[in-house]
């Protein structure tokens, strides 16, 4: 019984971390797709002002209820997209994700940004 408990204590957290990493990958994919959609909007309108990801983009939302997506800092030349972790995803080591018009990728956790966006 002790061996099963030890294996479970090691395996379950590792599995949960892999699930969170997979969900983070889907959120990054959605953010990149939203970025492309914003760029298409800008090409057509010569501004990001008026860009609404919910109506302008057909993002699959593959990550379900794991992230809440938002758009902020919209001006003629700038935008910032965010993916705010929800539910069990809030325990992800990278926290919330973000990307802007200059392809600057951010996260809210204390880990290296390149590790969160690799």
């Amino acid at each position: 019984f002790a061996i099963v408990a030890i294996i479970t204590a090691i395996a379950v957290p590792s599995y949960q971390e892999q699930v969170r990493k997979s969900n983070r990958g889907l959120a990054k994919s959605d953010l990149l797709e939203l970025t492309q959609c914003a760029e298409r909007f800008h090409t057509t309108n010569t501004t990001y002002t008026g860009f609404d990801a919910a109506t302008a983009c057909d993002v699959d939302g593959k990550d379900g209820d794991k992230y809440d997506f938002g758009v902020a800092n919209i001006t003629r030349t700038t935008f910032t997209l965010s993916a705010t972790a929800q539910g069990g995803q809030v325990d992800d080591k990278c926290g919330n994700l973000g990307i802007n018009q200059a392809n600057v990728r951010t996260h809210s956790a204390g880990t290296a940004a390149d590790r969160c966006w690799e």
Side-chain angles (χ1 to χ4, degrees), residues 26 30 33 58-67 69:
L26 293 173
D30 281 350
E33 192 172 339
D58 183 25
V59 174
D60 296 337
K62 300 172 285 284
D63 32 55
D65 59 353
K66 307 298 184 211
Y67 286 90
F69 293 91

Side-chain angles (χ1 to χ4, degrees), residues 16-17 28-30 35 40 94 98-99:
Q16 290 172 331
E17 179 57 30
K28 291 187 298 187
S29 173
D30 281 350
T35 299
R40 285 191 301 274
C94 293
I99 190 168

Side-chain angles (χ1 to χ4, degrees), residues 102-118:
N103 200 32
V104 174
R105 300 168 185 200
T106 61
H107 64 92
S108 64
T111 57
D114 59 334
R115 300 242 180 222
C116 291
W117 276 92
E118 60 184 20

